[in-house]
Amino acid sequence: MKKDELYADPQQVVPDFVFDERVAQVFPDMINRSVPGYATIINMIGTLASRRVTRGSNCYDLGCSLGAASMAVRSSMPHQDYALIAVDNSLPMLQQAAKLLELDQAESPIELVCSDVRNVTIERASMIILNFTLQFIPAEDREDFLMQLYDGMQDNGLLVLSEKIALSNEASQNLFTEMHHSFKKAQGYSDLEISQKRSALENVLIPETLERHKLRLQKVGFTTVEVWFQCFNFVSLLAIK
Ligand code: GEK
């Protein structure tokens, strides 16, 4: 696994973050050292899938990056009577995902689709994974997009929504930001790397509060909405139709 050193050297102007070839090459290292609890969330997505992906249904991994969540689903499933569809709009990420899937010795297929997640037709979904993807969708589109997902889900279908969140209380926001940066420092990132990455993401990753996420999921129609994981400002929710 290649080490993420994309922000190690000082840059005069830090351009907006994009999921390009350079990011695809270092992505597993980047996300593991940037998102506290990422490995746990991926593992638990597998556990959730093993209980919730029903026979004859579809499971979608939207914003799949290199397919980590899809591979966790595939390796945890007790039956093969389902389709797993992994979608991302970054071709370099999907090309890297295809290479990793080839190395992952498993029988059931994962369909890789290069598309904006908002343009995918969702049908017969027993599980939809949005693992740190909604935060990159323009905020004004999020409700319609979630409604589209809800409409394509079976009754009792499960949405897993993981997000970096904002806190409405300023002291809490500062505390969690500081704790996240301490986590990244402990993972070997320098202050320069942390601050340049933060600038790169500023206009690209737009976090919302946990309250906002919960209310919107309820408004869209999900009956059960629960936080199942939180580490500082990183949260994963379950929403059941
Ligand atoms: C994981 N889920 O490892 N349409 C399709 N893909 C998109 C869109 C969009 N509109 N916007 C962003 N992406 C993964 C990690 S990373 C999270 C998800 C992160 C894709 C983007 O190309 C990238 O691959 C992914 O969403 C977000 O479990 O890097 O913080």
Side-chain angles (χ1 to χ4, degrees):
M1 180 162 66
K2 251 174 106 177
K3 192 172 180 205
D4 167 25
E5 291 176 329
L6 297 184
Y7 293 95
D9 297 326
Q11 300 179 18
Q12 290 225 313
V13 179
V14 182
D16 278 352
F17 188 84
V18 280
F19 291 96
D20 58 12
E21 178 62 39
R22 292 166 71 231
V23 170
Q25 291 298 326
V26 300
F27 189 73
D29 180 62
M30 173 184 278
I31 196 152
N32 271 292
R33 291 200 291 135
S34 303
V35 175
Y38 174 76
T40 301
I41 295 172
I42 290 293
N43 265 327
M44 290 307 143
I45 285 174
T47 302
L48 287 162
S50 71
R51 302 301 299 262
R52 306 294 304 200
V53 175
T54 56
R55 287 185 184 276
S57 73
N58 294 326
C59 175
Y60 295 87
D61 178 8
L62 302 178
C64 63
S65 298
L66 306 195
S70 290
M71 283 189 258
V73 169
R74 171 157 87 169
S75 66
S76 309
M77 282 301 294
H79 65 81
Q80 306 302 318
D81 181 18
Y82 71 104
L84 181 47
I85 301 123
V87 183
D88 207 287
N89 64 354
S90 159
L91 191 58
M93 295 293 267
L94 277 188
Q95 284 168 337
Q96 190 65 15
K99 285 187 198 158
L100 295 179
L101 287 184
E102 243 174 62
L103 299 175
D104 181 56
Q105 301 289 331
E107 295 212 340
S108 63
I110 297 176
E111 185 187 344
L112 292 179
V113 178
C114 191
S115 166
D116 190 300
V117 291
R118 289 166 291 180
N119 298 334
V120 175
T121 303
I122 305 291
E123 48 196 3
R124 282 180 288 110
S126 58
M127 182 166 173
I128 299 178
I129 302 156
L130 274 178
N131 202 34
F132 301 105
T133 302
L134 191 68
Q135 59 196 14
F136 294 106
I137 305 281
E140 64 274 16
D141 289 355
R142 293 180 190 177
E143 185 172 321
D144 283 352
F145 172 56
L146 288 171
M147 211 171 284
Q148 225 173 289
L149 302 189
Y150 181 87
D151 288 343
M153 285 173 90
Q154 296 180 335
D155 285 348
N156 224 18
L158 170 70
L159 170 70
V160 179
L161 174 64
S162 310
E163 288 277 291
K164 182 178 188 182
I165 56 160
L167 289 105
S168 40
N169 178 292
E170 196 184 336
S172 306
Q173 177 66 49
N174 292 340
L175 174 67
F176 280 16
T177 301
E178 192 187 321
M179 296 315 295
H180 179 222
H181 289 178
S182 300
F183 167 80
K184 289 189 76 166
K185 282 200 86 167
Q187 298 299 312
Y189 283 118
S190 67
D191 288 329
L192 178 70
E193 286 178 296
I194 294 170
S195 95
Q196 293 194 137
K197 175 81 179 292
R198 191 183 187 182
S199 306
L201 283 172
E202 198 158 6
N203 303 314
V204 179
L205 188 170
I206 311 295
E208 295 175 298
T209 64
L210 184 54
E211 294 71 32
R212 175 92 188 90
H213 282 295
K214 282 182 167 174
L215 283 173
R216 187 170 45 214
L217 289 167
Q218 282 157 352
K219 186 175 172 207
V220 162
F222 290 98
T223 49
T224 302
V225 176
E226 297 289 351
V227 171
W228 70 272
F229 175 91
Q230 178 161 9
C231 183
F232 307 132
N233 43 349
F234 291 82
V235 171
S236 190
L237 296 126
L238 300 179
I240 295 174
K241 177 164 174 174

